[in-house]
Every structure is written in C-alpha cells, then in structure tokens.
Amino acid sequence: MNSDSDLQIAGDILEVPHLLQPPREHPATVAEFAGLARSIAADRAQWAHLVRYDATTRWYHRLRTGPGYEVWLLSWVPGQGSGLHDHGRSSGVLTVLDGTLTERTERGTRALAAGAQRVFAPGYVHEVVNDTLEPAVSLHVYFPGLTEMPMHTAPTCEAPAEPRPVTA
C-alpha cells in the first residue's frame, strides 16, 4: 500500500485499551480549554439566560471554575471596550458567542464574529471592542485563573519631532 505516512494503524484502535487515556474531568491542555469553550458556546441553555446588558459598564459573570481555571461570560453593548490590556500570567481562550467584536493588537485589527475563537499566551496585549450597533456576548477561559489585568497605553504613531535650530 502506498501512503504519505509511515505510520499505519492496523485493526481497531479501540481494541487496544492500554493506548487509550482515561477521560479527564477538567481540561489540562490548550486544545482541551478551547474545546471546553466550544462546548459551552454550543450549549446556549448553560449561558443565555444569565446574560445581562449594562450601558454604564461592561457586564461579566463567572460561569464556572475548576482546578486552576475560570470561565467568564461577558456582554458588550455598542461602543464598550476593554481598553488595551494583557492577562498577567494567565493564558486564555476568547470565544464570541453572539454578535461581533473587534480585536486590536500591535499586529492589526480583526473582526471576530459569533463562533470565532482566539487563544492567547501570558503577556498577550490586546483590546476588545464592540464596534457594531448590536450587542455582543463572549466567553473567556483563563488558566490559571485571572488574577491581574494590567492596562497598557497605546504606542504613539507620530513621527519623532524634528530638532529645532538653536537661535541666539
């Protein structure tokens, strides 16, 4: 048999129980945290009834905790944003549940529609804003749990000032 892969599995992998890992009660890898966020997103009954909108401040609700992680539900009315920040020592998964959010980083700007997911490492600096005319809802998983959110100032894009000649 001709194949692009040197690895071929003969028979049913499920018949080899010692190769199977037992299911974990809580996520432990980046892929598992992203999967947790997708499974919560898919089950609207878990979160839709909790969502509130607040025109004066961003609304948030801690949806779940586990060993070393937290899951937060946030709502964003038009014009609300996070400010430029990072998440300290926490990594995270941002998943848009409803609406569209805009993420700004030093690399550029991207629109995140419902279903979009971003995974980020500690120290990742970004700003999230609802630039649309409709409310939005997002889910955030932080591991370890969020203990700080340092704010940043946007770098200036202005050209350096020309030196002025000294006059006597």
Side-chain angles (χ1 to χ4, degrees), residues 30-31 33-34 38 91-94 103 117-121 124 143:
V30 172
F33 282 109
R38 282 192 304 276
S91 296
V93 178
L94 158 67
E103 182 189 38
Q117 196 167 54
R118 300 283 293 143
V119 176
F120 52 87
Y124 178 73
F143 48 99

Side-chain angles (χ1 to χ4, degrees), residues 75-163:
S75 71
W76 312 74
V77 298
Q80 285 181 337
S82 65
L84 193 62
H85 68 281
D86 70 59
H87 303 93
R89 63 186 191 97
S90 299
S91 296
V93 178
L94 158 67
T95 305
V96 179
L97 303 177
D98 276 332
T100 300
L101 294 171
T102 300
E103 182 189 38
R104 296 185 181 109
T105 68
E106 65 179 7
R107 294 183 152 193
T109 300
R110 75 180 74 219
L112 304 171
Q117 196 167 54
R118 300 283 293 143
V119 176
F120 52 87
Y124 178 73
V125 178
H126 70 158
E127 177 180 29
V128 179
V129 179
N130 181 352
D131 283 336
T132 71
L133 298 176
E134 299 296 325
V137 179
S138 58
L139 184 81
H140 303 249
V141 181
Y142 298 110
F143 48 99
L146 194 61
T147 58
E148 60 180 321
M149 196 172 112
M151 300 305 289
H152 296 259
T153 56
T156 59
C157 298
E158 299 172 20
E162 292 294 321

Side-chain angles (χ1 to χ4, degrees), residues 1-9:
M1 174 179 236
N2 209 357
S3 172
D4 292 337
S5 172
D6 291 337
L7 176 63
Q8 300 265 330
I9 297 176

Side-chain angles (χ1 to χ4, degrees), residues 20-26 32:
L20 299 176
Q21 292 188 9
R24 285 192 256 257
E25 182 181 352
H26 297 285
E32 289 171 346

